[in-house]
Amino acid sequence: MLYSWLSRTKKRNLELGGHVGFDSLPDQLVSKSVAQGFCFNILCVGETGIGKSTLMNTLFNTTFENEEASHYQSEVQLRPQTYDLQESNVNLKLTTVHTVGFGDQINKEESYKPILEYIDAQFERFLEEELKIKRSLFNCHDTRIHICLYFIAPTGHSLKSLDLVTMKKLDSKVNIIPIIAKADTVSKSELDKLKIKIMSELVSNGVQIYQFPTEDEAVAEINTSMNTHLPFAVIGSVEEIKVGNKMVKARLYPWGSVQVENENHCDFVKLREMLLRVNMEDLREQTHTRHYELYRRCKLEEMGFKDTGLDSHSFSLQETYEAKRKEFLVDLQRKEDEMRQMFVNKVKETEAELKEKEKELHERFEQLKRMHQEEKKNLEEKRRELEEEMNAFNRRRVAAETLMGQALQGCSQQPFKKDKDKKKESGNATK
């Protein structure tokens, strides 16, 4: 009976209301990424006045606020500036970092150090966020440098020593794209020779620059072609002039104009296509998977962490922490003992110096004392001699006074005697 009832019941056909499947996951990721926004950080390395700010303004068709730098910087300083840009419904947090004073010093041996320190500081900041207990990697502002545009001056026939040293130090830290700035100052034939010479010197000195990826079939052809155009010869300008019936960005000269977006005049369009439209995400990925991972691995190895191998025991964070803590305490105790011993030695040296000084002062005091006694003895002798001379002088003076008194007394008695004799004679005459 049940079978007869089921046979009389009509079958329902279920129809899908839409597409069902996990192939919609890319669309979900795109929507989430667009809602979250993107960040892109550009490091511009080059001498003052080579056109870094102008090129950034031209690349993003925006006039960024940038303070003009002088040629009298005592050291290289990095000046980051962050801007919020929007194109259609995509938000981009752009950070441009300019090297102020690069190449302006007389001694350029350490010009690259502030750049390396800045790049490592951004890696360290991201690593600290990763190691937090409560971390928010999706919400934090990622300041890691994704691309380094190295500006080469079109003067001379090769790279400067400063350029080679700096790029060699940076190639393991950041993606490098060398560009020839102010390319309108060099003829086309000389520019081709300069490009070949630059690439030859980079290869011979082992400098690893960023190569556009060719694994993806969608961009393999264009990236392979663009790899042969490195380094890009670019011109920057935000001024627009009228050429024919349209306004174009160009540089106007008395002899004519150089159009920025004309591929026959420069490689600006190629740079913009490769940097922004085709390979921006690969630059971000290379920064994270290659350069940051290298820094992270070295940093964690310095901290005592290591991966588990086939022959090694399982990794324990607590054991690693305790071992590193013991190592740190031992090192701290060793340094403390060294400082204590150094302090004791310093005190002993100071005491020895003070005793030596005290001995010298005592000897000096005894010497002065002997000199004082000798001078006192000499003065006593001179005083005694002077007293004897004074006594002799007094005796002579007394004797002289006595003689003088006697002489005066004799002289006074003689006139009285004469008068008496005269009176006596006159009396006798009267008689």
Side-chain angles (χ1 to χ4, degrees), residues 276-289:
L276 304 181
R277 190 180 68 86
V278 181
N279 298 300
M280 179 182 286
E281 183 57 31
D282 184 73
L283 290 168
R284 288 157 43 89
E285 182 181 350
Q286 286 290 325
T287 299
H288 182 77
T289 59

Side-chain angles (χ1 to χ4, degrees), residues 48 69-75 100-101 104-105:
T48 304
S70 65
H71 290 271
Y72 304 101
Q73 300 290 333
S74 59
E75 59 182 1
V100 180
D104 290 340
Q105 295 77 30

Side-chain angles (χ1 to χ4, degrees), residues 76-308:
V76 180
Q77 299 177 354
L78 278 83
R79 183 184 298 165
Q81 291 179 318
T82 302
Y83 310 94
D84 292 322
L85 306 180
Q86 184 175 5
E87 185 175 273
S88 299
N89 63 333
V90 178
N91 296 318
L92 178 67
K93 186 180 288 292
L94 174 68
T95 300
T96 60
V97 184
H98 294 276
T99 53
V100 180
F102 182 78
D104 290 340
Q105 295 77 30
I106 297 177
N107 185 3
K108 304 179 178 61
E109 291 182 358
E110 298 184 353
S111 296
Y112 64 88
K113 287 188 177 180
I115 304 175
L116 287 179
E117 292 173 358
Y118 179 84
I119 296 174
D120 287 342
Q122 310 317 307
F123 285 156
E124 182 69 20
R125 179 180 176 183
F126 194 85
L127 180 60
E128 289 177 356
E129 186 66 30
E130 273 191 336
L131 296 178
K132 287 182 179 179
I133 297 177
K134 294 182 179 180
R135 57 183 184 176
S136 55
L137 296 176
F138 294 102
N139 297 328
C140 74
H141 180 205
D142 186 4
T143 58
R144 295 174 297 176
I145 300 299
H146 300 124
I147 181 63
C148 169
L149 296 179
Y150 196 94
F151 289 70
I152 301 171
T155 55
H157 302 285
S158 61
L159 289 170
K160 299 179 182 178
S161 300
L162 175 63
D163 299 330
L164 287 172
V165 172
T166 304
M167 282 193 278
K168 183 62 178 177
K169 295 292 183 179
L170 293 178
D171 62 359
S172 62
K173 301 284 186 179
V174 67
N175 304 311
I176 301 176
I177 294 182
I179 58 177
I180 302 173
K182 297 184 177 181
D184 54 339
T185 60
V186 185
S187 65
K188 194 169 184 179
S189 59
E190 292 177 349
L191 195 59
D192 294 336
K193 294 179 182 178
L194 181 59
K195 283 186 176 185
I196 296 173
K197 183 66 175 177
I198 290 173
M199 292 303 297
S200 174
E201 290 185 348
L202 291 176
V203 172
S204 61
N205 287 276
V207 178
Q208 300 292 327
I209 64 173
Y210 175 74
Q211 294 288 323
F212 303 119
T214 57
E215 293 81 9
D216 189 356
E217 296 180 357
V219 295
E221 184 178 355
I222 184 173
N223 281 348
T224 303
S225 175
M226 290 301 162
N227 281 329
T228 61
H229 286 83
L230 291 173
F232 293 130
V234 298
I235 301 167
S237 176
V238 294
E239 299 179 0
E240 293 188 351
I241 64 173
K242 189 173 184 180
V243 177
N245 296 326
K246 61 179 181 179
M247 301 296 292
V248 296
K249 290 184 175 63
R251 301 185 69 90
L252 188 62
Y253 297 98
W255 44 263
S257 62
V258 179
Q259 299 177 27
V260 174
E261 297 179 333
N262 190 333
E263 295 191 43
N264 293 324
H265 292 182
C266 70
D267 297 331
F268 173 80
V269 174
K270 296 183 178 66
L271 174 64
R272 184 176 61 187
E273 290 290 302
M274 293 295 98
L275 191 64
L276 304 181
R277 190 180 68 86
V278 181
N279 298 300
M280 179 182 286
E281 183 57 31
D282 184 73
L283 290 168
R284 288 157 43 89
E285 182 181 350
Q286 286 290 325
T287 299
H288 182 77
T289 59
R290 180 186 170 193
H291 302 294
Y292 171 69
E293 282 300 320
L294 176 61
Y295 175 84
R296 177 179 174 274
R297 183 174 70 248
C298 295
K299 197 70 175 179
L300 292 179
E301 287 177 353
E302 290 178 4
M303 297 170 64
F305 297 100
K306 57 183 179 179
D307 292 331
T308 57

Side-chain angles (χ1 to χ4, degrees), residues 341-357:
Q341 186 63 35
M342 186 184 301
F343 177 76
V344 172
N345 294 336
K346 195 69 176 178
V347 170
K348 289 182 179 179
E349 291 177 1
T350 305
E351 288 180 351
E353 291 178 359
L354 289 175
K355 288 182 179 179
E356 187 68 23
K357 293 290 184 183

Side-chain angles (χ1 to χ4, degrees), residues 48 316 370:
T48 304
S316 173
R370 288 193 299 269

Side-chain angles (χ1 to χ4, degrees), residues 334-375:
R334 179 182 59 79
K335 290 183 179 180
E336 185 178 351
D337 295 339
E338 289 178 356
M339 292 183 66
R340 185 181 292 108
Q341 186 63 35
M342 186 184 301
F343 177 76
V344 172
N345 294 336
K346 195 69 176 178
V347 170
K348 289 182 179 179
E349 291 177 1
T350 305
E351 288 180 351
E353 291 178 359
L354 289 175
K355 288 182 179 179
E356 187 68 23
K357 293 290 184 183
E358 184 180 3
K359 184 178 179 181
E360 292 178 0
L361 288 174
H362 184 70
E363 292 177 354
R364 181 65 177 169
F365 173 75
E366 292 295 332
Q367 184 180 0
L368 291 175
K369 187 177 180 180
R370 288 193 299 269
M371 291 175 61
H372 174 71
Q373 290 177 353
E374 292 177 359
E375 290 180 355

